[in-house]
Amino acid sequence: MSPGKPKFYLTTPIYYTNGLPHIGHTYSTIVCDTIRRYKRMRGYDVVMTTGTDEHGVNVERSAKKASVPESEFVAKMAAEWKALWDELGVQGDEFIRTTDLKHAHTVQWLFKQCRDNGFVYPGHYTGQYCIFDNAYVDVKPGENCPDCGRPTETVTEANFYFKLSAFQRPLLDWYAKHPDFIQPESRRNEVLSFVEGGLRDLSITRTSVRWGIPVPGEEPHVFYVWFDALTAYLSAVGGPQYEKRGFWPADVHLVGKEIIRFHAVYWPAFLMAAGLPLPKQIWAHGWLLMDSAKMSKSLGNVVRPRPIVHVLGMDALRYYLLRETVFGQDGNFSYDALVTRYNSDLANGLGNLASRVLTMIEQHLRGIAPGKPSAAEDARDERIIDLRRETILQTCQHYDRFEFSRALEAIWRLMAEVDKYLVETKPWVQVKAPGSYGQFVTTIYTAYQALREAVILAHPILPSATQKIWKQMGQTEELSTLDIHLDWPPMANAHIGKIEAVFPRIEKAEAIERMESMEKEEQKQPSQVTAPTPASAPTTGGAAAAAAPAAAEKIGLEDFAKVEMRVGQIKTAERIVGADKLLKLTVDIGTEIRQICAGIAQYYEPEKLIGRRVAVVVNLAPRKLRGVESNGMIIAAAVGPEGRPVLAGFPDEDVEIGARLK
Ligand SMILES: [Zn+2]
């Protein structure tokens, strides 16, 4: 911490550890890292917090599935998240885990403040509970669980309520007084209308959950979801002693649009209730869509960052995410566009300009970048000099407003102009023509200075590649330690280093194929939670590794849900010539009549099967058995040493044909 520097505090969401990071989490984090790097280069003392939300029923369940204690499960997940951020060049200052002791103390302290100030009261929470999933589900009494389809029960448990209803007016006043509090505008309007519609008190503890921070003196109450997770922003920078460190209130909480309400309504209300300062801004970005659909596990279109980093490098991913999407709006992700951007903007753009300028210095100036020439500049030189100044101004303005794609456009416009300038001035002719050596030096000097500025300005987004080019330009200092300002002194007499392509061109089809096949490999791993890659999970314990094979034999509910079983009624049954084990059946499954072959001919008389109700797997791909098409499968138990088939049926109930088995 440096005294005298202005402070800046920003946060990513505190990610839920039940899964591993995908490209959406990556986007939030890269944006924060970019802001952090930029602010540092503008002279700020910056703290960026990221972290993991490690409590709750889902973690309890996943740990159980992996046969490890919760603490071990979350430690491993936190290590995975950290490792990925390292690979992406993210320099978080604080990594808060909601299982950290200092976080527990902060949550308990915040609760006490709210309670002492009269905003917490005991009550009962009543909701629909799914016993199978061990969780409350958001349905009406009598409705089934949206996750597993089983009946839910109405359950009432003791808990504590937060008096959110008391904050409708104070929040609306706050939004009115701080018009920039919620960004962008569309999200602000959404939050305003939500709050204007009235606020209901919020249940903030549970007695049905075990894996959580205890409410002091009120065990078995533990804090529930948002009161726990949101407080991590404060515990990361000192908790109750936040004033000592001086980073609270936060300047920006960066979040995805789906969690704006919790950040812009609940969180400021908790802080108001405790008498604490409110964050200055909540910025909600959009989603990354895959072919215009939200990425989700069940759709199977989740993109993971690692394959991209392995094939194109982390800078390519960072560049693509910030260049292609207007910050605040939804963006589209496609491998095709990613590789196109890589080749056009990075390989042919920045990479090509750097090697062009540096190669001329190597060939014609003995590898020494020229100092400011004494010869007068002509109009073409002056145009570039003006544009350099303009680009610095514009880029900083865009960065300040989180307009990352426009910042990059401005930098790339400068580089395109320098390219054009080189084509027009033809330094390779100037250097040989009699009497034009002075002009040649001016041209190279002008291009080199512009390249330098482009590299410095792009550094927050391309931290690794710009540092490599910087070194090739003959500079020794770390780019991240430079201050961006308008009047950089010209750089002179730098001995350029070894010139290497920072972004080698890549063949599109090959790159996409490699990324997609790595993506599939990652998905094939039964569960990265139980079988993390050794390189990226430094805290992996032996116990967890040993548990992996056992866990791999089990399937998740989502796998089970893929099998569609229905009640069917056998309409006809006949033997198949040349296949004495098979019967050819036609089965009514409610929506249609199917032909299905079953290996039961030795045990069931065909005529006795007519009218019988059986369990049928209806979404099995059709196949041929002894040349006869079979479109589905009849469920039977295998009994005895010979595996005698016994048909599953419904003797007790008159079940409806076509009813789904769950
Ligand atoms: Zn359920």
Side-chain angles (χ1 to χ4, degrees):
M1 185 165 92
S2 347
K5 281 188 175 185
K7 290 185 163 66
F8 193 88
Y9 179 36
L10 81 164
T11 65
T12 74
I14 305 300
Y15 301 111
Y16 197 51
T17 41
N18 205 33
L20 289 169
H22 59 61
I23 209 91
H25 308 112
T26 305
Y27 179 58
S28 306
T29 310
I30 284 174
V31 165
C32 264
D33 183 67
T34 297
I35 298 170
R36 177 191 179 276
R37 289 172 180 274
Y38 169 71
K39 287 287 177 184
R40 293 221 149 187
M41 292 176 83
R42 293 303 300 275
Y44 284 83
D45 187 10
V46 188
V47 167
M48 167 179 154
T49 288
T50 185
T52 40
D53 173 8
E54 306 185 352
H55 288 128
V57 171
N58 291 320
V59 165
E60 254 179 52
R61 213 179 303 152
S62 297
K64 196 173 166 199
K65 198 173 146 196
S67 310
V68 294
E70 287 93 351
S71 56
E72 197 176 306
F73 176 84
V74 293
K76 206 173 321 141
M77 292 303 278
E80 281 274 345
W81 284 75
K82 264 189 196 167
L84 183 79
W85 300 148
D86 282 349
E87 283 174 48
L88 286 162
V90 170
Q91 299 179 326
D93 303 284
E94 294 292 340
F95 191 98
I96 187 85
R97 299 178 50 197
T98 58
T99 52
D100 287 342
L101 200 58
K102 67 173 177 184
H103 173 68
H105 288 156
T106 305
V107 172
Q108 292 171 344
W109 170 78
L110 185 74
F111 177 76
K112 190 176 181 304
Q113 305 302 307
C114 294
R115 195 181 196 181
D116 289 352
N117 293 339
F119 295 110
V120 170
Y121 62 92
H124 286 92
Y125 179 82
T126 299
Q128 292 308 112
Y129 195 85
C130 172
I131 297 196
F132 179 80
D133 287 325
N134 271 323
Y136 284 101
V137 287
D138 194 14
V139 296
K140 293 192 180 76
E143 288 179 2
N144 288 345
C145 169
D147 295 328
C148 71
R150 290 177 171 80
T152 57
E153 283 182 21
T154 306
V155 168
T156 296
E157 66 168 297
N159 69 350
F160 285 98
Y161 274 92
F162 175 79
K163 226 184 258 180
L164 187 62
S165 56
F167 291 91
Q168 184 187 17
R169 200 65 257 162
L171 282 169
L172 290 173
D173 289 346
W174 180 269
Y175 304 148
K177 237 183 270 170
H178 304 86
D180 294 334
F181 182 64
I182 303 163
Q183 291 289 326
E185 194 67 22
S186 51
R187 298 281 93 81
R188 178 183 149 83
N189 296 337
E190 178 190 313
V191 170
L192 280 183
S193 68
F194 173 73
V195 176
E196 278 160 0
L199 295 174
R200 281 162 54 190
D201 291 350
L202 196 67
S203 160
I204 55 168
T205 72
R206 283 285 186 275
T207 46
S208 60
V209 179
R210 193 179 48 78
W211 181 243
I213 297 169
V215 182
E218 304 287 356
E219 293 82 359
H221 282 270
V222 298
F223 290 102
Y224 186 63
V225 191
W226 292 106
F227 199 86
D228 174 351
L230 291 164
T231 307
Y233 301 133
L234 183 57
S235 33
V237 288
Q241 278 86 45
Y242 68 89
E243 279 173 318
K244 221 187 266 174
R245 200 160 163 203
F247 279 93
W248 191 261
D251 292 88
V252 185
H253 290 315
L254 191 104
V255 300
K257 66 179 180 183
E258 72 283 5
I259 50 175
I260 183 72
R261 192 179 291 179
F262 310 109
H263 284 78
V265 181
Y266 297 4
W267 182 225
F270 297 159
L271 292 167
M272 281 177 180
L276 293 167
L278 267 54
K280 293 174 196 161
Q281 194 168 63
I282 319 285
W283 235 109
H285 63 71
W287 287 337
L288 285 176
L289 307 174
M290 185 81 174
D291 302 323
S292 305
K294 186 174 192 282
M295 286 186 202
S296 81
K297 249 188 194 168
S298 52
L299 285 175
N301 64 351
V302 175
V303 176
R304 304 274 171 195
R306 249 190 208 114
I308 300 168
V309 172
H310 282 293
V311 175
L312 297 178
M314 67 143 167
D315 280 323
L317 177 59
R318 293 173 65 110
Y319 178 83
Y320 172 76
L321 290 179
L322 294 190
R323 177 68 184 78
E324 196 81 354
T325 303
V326 174
F327 188 63
Q329 298 176 10
D330 288 345
N332 214 4
F333 181 90
S334 91
Y335 284 117
D336 194 280
L338 168 68
V339 183
T340 301
R341 280 278 178 207
Y342 173 88
N343 279 330
S344 69
D345 297 11
L346 298 177
N348 291 353
L350 176 59
N352 188 49
L353 179 65
S355 70
R356 216 170 157 191
V357 173
L358 295 179
T359 302
M360 281 189 286
I361 294 174
E362 187 175 62
Q363 286 178 353
H364 305 296
L365 292 161
R366 303 185 314 281
I368 300 171
K372 193 168 170 51
S374 47
E377 289 114 355
D378 67 16
R380 290 179 306 198
D381 308 325
E382 270 162 12
R383 211 182 105 62
I384 296 296
I385 292 166
D386 289 347
L387 188 63
R388 275 169 46 200
R389 217 185 140 77
E390 206 181 299
T391 303
I392 297 170
L393 267 175
Q394 279 185 359
T395 307
C396 287
Q397 272 173 13
H398 292 316
Y399 272 134
D400 284 334
R401 295 180 199 143
F402 302 163
E403 295 165 346
F404 306 106
S405 55
R406 299 189 66 188
L408 287 168
E409 273 171 34
I411 302 167
W412 259 252
R413 195 180 317 121
L414 171 66
M415 292 197 292
E417 286 301 321
V418 174
D419 264 330
K420 223 157 81 188
Y421 165 77
L422 291 174
V423 170
E424 285 168 7
T425 51
K426 298 187 178 62
W428 50 93
V429 175
Q430 287 175 334
V431 70
K432 285 175 192 149
S436 64
Y437 187 77
Q439 281 172 335
F440 165 74
V441 174
T442 301
T443 304
I444 296 299
Y445 171 82
T446 306
Y448 181 87
Q449 298 298 332
L451 175 65
R452 171 174 88 136
E453 279 151 20
V455 164
I456 295 172
L457 291 170
H459 180 68
I461 294 172
L462 303 171
S464 162
T466 49
Q467 185 63 44
K468 282 183 198 154
I469 296 172
W470 194 239
K471 204 173 156 207
Q472 293 183 24
M473 291 179 80
Q475 299 305 307
T476 49
E477 71 262 68
E478 289 290 316
L479 265 176
S480 58
T481 62
L482 295 186
D483 271 2
I484 300 179
H485 47 78
L486 252 187
D487 296 300
W488 277 312
M491 243 165 39
N493 304 322
H495 288 253
I496 65 163
K498 190 164 180 280
I499 304 167
E500 273 169 308
V502 174
F503 298 109
R505 275 192 68 87
I506 193 158
E507 210 269 307
K508 189 193 268 183
E510 186 219 314
I512 294 177
E513 207 229 282
R514 281 174 59 202
M515 286 186 285
E516 284 181 341
S517 76
M518 284 176 73
E519 176 81 53
K520 279 190 199 114
E521 279 306 305
E522 288 213 351
Q523 280 171 4
K524 244 190 250 162
Q525 292 180 15
S527 159
Q528 278 136 331
V529 177
T530 50
T533 47
S536 57
T539 62
T540 303
E553 288 166 19
K554 296 190 177 160
I555 59 164
L557 195 60
E558 65 277 22
D559 290 324
F560 175 73
K562 287 179 196 155
V563 181
E564 192 186 342
M565 285 188 283
R566 293 195 180 274
V567 175
Q569 186 176 41
I570 298 174
K571 294 288 176 195
T572 64
E574 56 181 280
R575 296 185 188 276
I576 299 171
V577 181
D580 24 279
K581 287 181 185 169
L582 285 183
L583 287 185
K584 186 166 87 178
L585 313 170
T586 50
V587 183
D588 182 358
I589 58 164
T591 47
E592 60 180 295
I593 297 195
R594 293 275 188 90
Q595 175 171 301
I596 300 174
C597 293
I600 54 174
Q602 290 163 307
Y603 303 97
Y604 287 93
E605 291 294 322
E607 46 276 28
K608 286 189 182 159
L609 286 171
I610 314 283
R612 189 161 172 157
R613 284 170 203 218
V614 288
V616 184
V617 178
V618 298
N619 64 339
L620 200 67
R623 62 207 170 120
K624 283 194 170 172
L625 297 175
R626 296 290 178 108
V628 181
E629 169 130 5
S630 180
N631 194 2
M633 189 170 80
I634 311 279
I635 303 286
V639 175
E642 291 148 12
R644 175 171 63 89
V646 176
L647 291 175
F650 309 90
D652 298 330
E653 235 15 277
D654 190 18
V655 292
E656 198 184 316
I657 291 162
R660 182 152 186 193
L661 274 67
K662 288 177 178 179

